[in-house]
Amino acid sequence: MAQEPFQVYAADHARLAMAVVAGLRAGDGDGPREPGLAEQLVASCQGSDTAIGVGGAWAPLVLGNGDLWRYDQAVGIWRRIPSHDVRREVMRLSSVAVTVTKTGKAAPLIITSALMEAVVKMVEVMAERVDFDEARPGIACANGFVDLTGDAVVLRKPRADDYARHVAGWTYEAAAPAPRWDAFLADVWQGAKDAVERQRFLECFLGACLAGQAWHHARAVILLGDGANGKSVLCDVVAGMFPPGSVCSVAPHAMAERFRATSLVGAKLNLVADMPVGELKESGSLKQIVAGDPIEIEKKFKDSFVFRPTCGHIFSTNRLPMATDHSRGFLRRWVVLKFGRNFEGSGINREQLVRSIAAETPAIVARCAEAYMRARGYVIPPSSEEEMDEWRLDNDQVLAFLDEHYERIPPPHTDDEHFPETIRAIYGLYRPWAINHGHRPCQIRTLSRRVGEIVPWKRTDQGRVFALRFSKRS
C-alpha cells in the first residue's frame, strides 16, 4: 500500500494511529500535509485485536470523562482506552512506516516526543464526544442489560446508547429468594423496632446505586457501630453485588483533595469500609458530590473536565465524626444505620458467612432493583433520625447549650411575649457553660447568628430576641 505524503506497510491494527500521524505530520516545518488523508484512512479502518481496535467489527472511538472509549459489542459495554495504549500503537510505526523527504527519498519515520503528543491529541480531537453522566439507568450483567427506566424491570440485549462501562459476572434472576440475606439482616438488627424499615431502606438505596440514580436522592449512608457487629460482612457482600471496576473508596475527608475525586468517575458505589473519625473540616465538596452536582476535576497530566458524580456512598465507622458544618444542607445528606449487636466469641466463621450470602447475589440484586423501581425514593428509618439528633448535639455546642438551658416557644410567634430572651442574656449563660465544657466560646455575633438558625427571632431596640424561655431543667 502506498499513500502520500508517506508510505506505509502495516496491518490494519496500526492504520488508525498512522492516519492521525498523516493528518498532523508537520514534516520539517512546512505544516501539515494532506489534511484529508487521516479521515480517509479512518473511514477504511476495519478493526483489529489491539487496544485501539477492541472487539471484532470496527466501532468509532469516543471521548468522555477525559478518556478515550470504544464499544465492545460482544460484551455490551464501553471499554476505556488508556493513553499509553495509544502511545504503544504509535511506537509501532517506527518499524513499519517511512516518510518521503523533500528530495523524494524515503527515510525512516522517527517518532519524536512532540509527534507522539500530537498523535494522542489528534486521536482525542477526532473522537466523538459523549456524556457518560447521562447513562441509561440500569445494570449490565452476564445475561443482558437490566433496564430500570420504565415502570418495571426489563432484561434485554445491551445497546451502545446505554453507555454502560462495567459488566457484572452474575446473571439477573427476577423474584428469586434470598433467605441467607434476610436471615443475616434480621440477625444484626435483632431487637431494633424498625428492623424491617432498615432493610427496606437499604435494599432501595442499593437498587438506586446499581441503577446509577443514587445522586437524585442526595443521601449518604453511615453504618455505625463498634466492631464484630456485621458491618464488614455487609460491606463485603455489597461490594460483590456491583460490577468489577464500579466500586471506589473515597472518604469524606478526602473529597476536596485535588486528584481524589477522579476515583468517582464511572463508579456506581463509593464504599469506605473504615471511615476516618477525624474532624470533617471541609464539607462543600462532600455536599456537591453526594448531591450529584457537576464538579470540575483533573486527572494527572491531563486537562480538567466537568463531570457529574452519580454514585451512592456508604461509610462504615465505629463512631460518628465531628463536623464543623452545622447547616441543614449538610445534616440532611445522611442516613445512619446502627449496628448494635456484638458477635465476638460467637464462633461465626466470617469468610464462610460472606460466601454463603454472596451466593445469593443475583437474587439480592433483583430484590434491590425491584425495591427501587417500586419506591423511586427512600423512606428513612426512624432510628436514623434519632441517631442524627444525637450527632447534632455532639457536633454543635450551641445546639447542645440551648437543649440544656432553654425550651423553645411553640408557634404562633405573633407577640413580643413570644420572644422573651435577648442575645445578651443568652450569651451571659453560654460563655461560662462553653468554658466549663471544654469548648472555645464563639463571639456574641456568631452566637446570635447560630441561635437564629435554630429558633425564630426578631430584631428590637435590644437587638435580636428569640422564641426561647429558660428551662426549669437547668
Side-chain angles (χ1 to χ4, degrees):
M1 179 182 68
Q3 294 280 359
E4 294 294 341
F6 61 82
Q7 297 175 346
V8 176
Y9 303 92
D12 285 345
H13 68 264
R15 296 178 69 187
L16 180 58
M18 288 186 291
V20 179
V21 173
L24 273 188
R25 181 67 166 144
D28 50 6
D30 295 335
R33 307 193 193 103
E34 297 287 331
L37 180 59
E39 288 75 9
Q40 294 173 22
L41 291 179
V42 168
S44 68
C45 183
Q46 294 300 316
S48 72
D49 56 357
T50 65
I52 291 183
V54 174
W58 179 80
L61 298 177
V62 301
L63 184 69
N65 292 151
D67 287 310
L68 287 166
W69 302 79
R70 184 180 177 86
Y71 186 64
D72 186 340
Q73 297 182 11
V75 180
I77 62 171
W78 290 85
R79 296 192 183 277
R80 187 175 70 90
I81 303 173
S83 59
H84 62 77
D85 283 354
V86 180
R87 288 176 167 82
R88 185 161 54 239
E89 291 298 317
V90 177
M91 288 305 300
R92 297 187 186 188
L93 300 180
S94 61
S95 62
V96 299
V98 295
T99 185
V100 179
T101 65
K102 286 184 176 180
T103 61
K105 295 182 178 180
L109 179 62
I110 300 174
I111 309 297
T112 64
S113 59
L115 178 58
M116 176 71 75
E117 294 307 313
V119 169
V120 174
K121 286 293 183 183
M122 185 59 177
V123 170
E124 294 178 353
V125 168
M126 297 174 68
E128 177 188 355
R129 267 57 176 171
V130 299
D131 187 0
F132 283 110
D133 298 338
E134 300 300 325
R136 192 182 308 277
I139 319 155
C141 60
N143 59 336
F145 183 80
V146 183
D147 194 331
L148 302 177
T149 56
D151 297 328
V153 179
V154 176
L155 179 65
R156 58 166 173 80
K157 291 183 178 181
R159 301 195 301 259
D161 61 0
D162 295 329
Y163 290 120
R165 286 174 284 179
H166 308 94
V167 59
W170 40 258
T171 58
Y172 187 78
E173 299 177 7
R180 297 186 186 91
W181 167 259
D182 291 334
F184 167 72
L185 294 181
D187 204 15
V188 296
W189 288 327
Q190 181 181 343
K193 295 180 180 179
D194 62 349
V196 174
E197 288 84 352
R198 295 186 197 186
Q199 180 170 352
R200 287 175 179 169
F201 166 79
L202 178 63
E203 291 174 350
C204 187
F205 174 80
L206 293 175
C209 295
L210 287 162
Q213 300 297 293
W215 65 278
H216 283 294
H217 310 286
R219 295 278 192 165
V221 174
I222 293 180
L223 308 181
L224 175 64
D226 295 329
N229 52 27
K231 299 196 312 293
S232 63
V233 172
L234 179 62
C235 288
D236 287 352
V237 172
V238 166
M241 293 167 53
F242 288 77
S246 67
V247 179
C248 64
S249 183
V250 182
H253 308 67
M255 288 182 176
E257 295 179 10
R258 183 179 179 187
F259 298 115
R260 290 302 302 276
T262 58
S263 300
L264 301 169
V265 177
K268 286 180 174 287
L269 177 65
N270 178 35
L271 175 62
V272 179
D274 189 11
M275 181 175 70
V277 295
E279 187 176 40
L280 279 172
K281 297 181 179 180
E282 200 285 327
S283 61
S285 297
L286 170 66
K287 289 187 287 188
Q288 282 184 295
I289 288 171
V290 172
D293 295 333
I295 60 173
E296 184 174 5
I297 63 172
E298 179 184 357
K299 295 184 178 181
K300 288 185 178 181
F301 312 116
K302 287 192 174 185
D303 296 334
S304 63
F305 62 94
V306 175
F307 96 109
R308 181 188 297 278
T310 59
C311 62
H313 305 266
I314 296 179
F315 307 113
S316 178
T317 183
N318 292 341
R319 61 184 178 89
L320 296 172
M322 299 300 292
T324 57
D325 190 342
H326 308 126
S327 67
R328 292 183 181 89
F330 172 75
L331 294 171
R332 64 186 172 88
R333 300 289 183 223
W334 302 99
V335 177
V336 179
L337 298 181
K338 183 68 177 291
F339 287 70
R341 299 195 65 191
N342 188 305
F343 297 95
E344 189 173 1
S346 63
I348 297 175
N349 186 307
R350 183 189 176 281
E351 288 70 23
Q352 184 177 349
L353 178 60
V354 171
R355 287 195 299 270
S356 67
I357 302 173
E360 299 178 342
T361 293
I364 300 171
V365 169
R367 174 94 62 85
C368 294
E370 290 160 8
Y372 178 68
M373 289 294 289
R374 287 193 304 269
R376 293 293 187 182
Y378 306 148
V379 177
I380 308 302
S383 60
S384 175
E385 300 294 347
E386 296 170 3
E387 293 293 338
M388 287 303 302
D389 288 341
E390 291 296 322
W391 194 18
R392 291 185 187 98
L393 288 174
D394 291 342
N395 271 293
D396 191 342
Q397 59 166 291
V398 174
L399 183 61
F401 163 75
L402 294 179
D403 184 70
E404 184 175 326
H405 286 82
Y406 287 95
E407 295 176 354
R408 304 183 191 188
I409 297 176
H413 304 115
T414 55
D415 301 323
D416 290 345
E417 64 183 20
H418 296 137
F419 299 90
E421 202 71 358
T422 66
I423 187 58
R424 292 187 180 279
I426 296 173
Y427 193 74
L429 290 173
Y430 159 74
R431 182 175 175 81
W433 176 90
I435 294 173
N436 290 336
H437 284 76
H439 300 301
R440 180 180 179 182
C442 60
Q443 299 297 317
I444 190 170
R445 290 175 62 88
T446 303
L447 180 67
S448 178
R449 176 181 57 81
R450 286 289 299 117
V451 176
E453 293 172 351
I454 299 170
V455 298
W457 63 276
K458 72 175 185 177
R459 190 176 298 280
T460 68
D461 294 341
Q462 303 178 69
R464 287 188 178 189
V465 291
F466 300 86
L468 292 169
R469 67 167 60 95
F470 197 68
S471 173
K472 295 180 180 179
R473 294 175 300 164
S474 59

